Amino acid sequence: GKAVVPLLADGNLVDKAWGETRPGPPTPPLRIHDIKWAGRTVQTKVDRMRNELTTANADVLLVSMLDEVAWLMNVRGRDVECNPVALSYALVRKEGAAAVYVDPAKVTPAVTEHLKAAGVEIRPYDAFLGDVRAEAAAGKVLCLDPAKLSFAVFQAAKEAAAADTDAAHGNGGAPPAKRARTAAKKTFVELASPVTAAKAIKNEKELEGMREAHLRDAVALAQFLFGIEEQISAGRTLTEVEVDEQLTARRAAQVGFLEPSFPSIAGAGPNGAVIHYRAQPGTCRTVDATTMLLLDSGGQYECGTTDITRTMHFGTPTAHQKRCNTRVLQGHILLDTAIFPEGTPGLSLDTLARLPLWQDGLNYRHGTGHGVGAALNVHEGPLSISSRYHITYPLAAHMVCSNEPGYYEDGSFGVRIENLMSIKEVDTPFRFGGVPYFGFQVLTLVPIQTKLMDLDLMTVAEISWVDTYHTKVWDAVSPRLVDQPRVLEWLKKNTRPLKVQLGV
């Protein structure tokens, strides 16, 4: 007895709310994502999608997610803050040219040549709806992801297909709802976007770009951390906004830096307990020699994307702060060292990162890990390491994800330790069921502050993990700091063995 009635008959409600005050669309030009970092040509990617269409018994793939269009076409944009994407759509036809729909004013001659060389038509952004209608009216079977396509596009295609069915079979006497349902069954194949799965599995060039981005980021973080410690040791007080500005300036000085990968979270003291905190001038807190600071930040480079969180204390942490931080670190280590069989969803690993906290009756109210794009959005699907029981997509080799357990004490402080990792196949003594086993390979290369670690709570294996990680940081990053002796000395000091750093 109930029916869903779309509120589109009198126009888009959002458009009405904007009225004449709606700003114009963004205008930054597209840029080519170099094959050096993309790893696969547009033609190769489009051909793969055509194979997916054949498997799905469909004729046309509708691509509506901005990062999927960018990945598929090896282009990047700057229409959305912190995300290198442009307002766009794409169509991939099993037979006929693929097409990208974007404001023609954004398409430079170089991008035009790049897309045409791949056999991709460049169409105006506003032409997408009409072209989808035309494909449906021509009897084509459209492949779409209902979770990612707007209702307006779906409805337009369904109406066009219904009109074609009426014209061809004389069904005008049937009720409109029944005609639409009949047309939809013939017109649509609904499934998870095949671009999402393809994009999640990084090729070797994409992984190489991610590794390079993290090395550049490590240089910026080393410079920043050395600088902020020096300022605070000299008695200076910084605002959270100034912390953000100084870190962004260090990143901006790196080759190929484009913009932050998300707005930085610089949470001092109790603000660190606000998981998605954003410092604002005039209301932000200050950082001095008594402060515990949670700093979550990342960068977009032309070669890759970074996301890192470090928690630090610029004075003497309390025993409770050290205990909480150590429990978070232990969870981070458990996930980092996990080995698991093919087909394992992130859900199955989430508990590992929480176990040490649970032992103390502590927890955190966010996921443990998210997928990360290669020179794309810092959050991407389909993987998730979390307690969201409905996300069962299996982890696979060459995916990139975060490892970020935390603890947040309202009104006091917050702790989070976050590295990015790629998933790799590992050797195991046995291979039960004949399936491969996977583990993680760290990408982030920045020291983890040791004064917040409680040795009395840590096992020999955990201490060894910290020392091994810091050795890896030193070996990878120090060659890039040879012309900066003071920063190099800071890095050396902060990557010494844990017991040496703590004077044990």
Side-chain angles (χ1 to χ4, degrees), residues 304-320:
T305 304
T306 70
D307 182 2
I308 171 176
T309 307
R310 289 293 181 264
T311 304
M312 59 214 83
H313 200 296
F314 296 103
T316 303
T318 67
H320 178 61

Side-chain angles (χ1 to χ4, degrees), residues 108-155:
T108 65
V111 170
T112 298
E113 183 179 349
H114 161 75
L115 293 172
K116 286 189 174 180
V120 176
E121 294 179 349
I122 301 170
R123 298 276 291 148
Y125 180 80
D126 293 337
F128 181 69
L129 208 58
D131 285 3
V132 170
R133 285 193 186 101
E135 296 287 353
K140 302 295 186 182
V141 177
L142 308 182
C143 179
L144 58 89
D145 185 338
K148 297 181 176 180
L149 193 70
S150 72
F151 180 79
V153 175
F154 177 82
Q155 188 72 2

Side-chain angles (χ1 to χ4, degrees), residues 357-372:
L357 285 162
W358 286 354
Q359 290 171 4
D360 277 6
L362 304 176
N363 205 349
Y364 53 95
R365 296 187 180 100
H366 61 71
T368 300
H370 56 82
V372 180

Side-chain angles (χ1 to χ4, degrees), residues 374-386:
L376 265 175
N377 295 358
V378 75
H379 282 235
E380 75 167 18
L383 78 86
S384 172
I385 301 175
S386 72

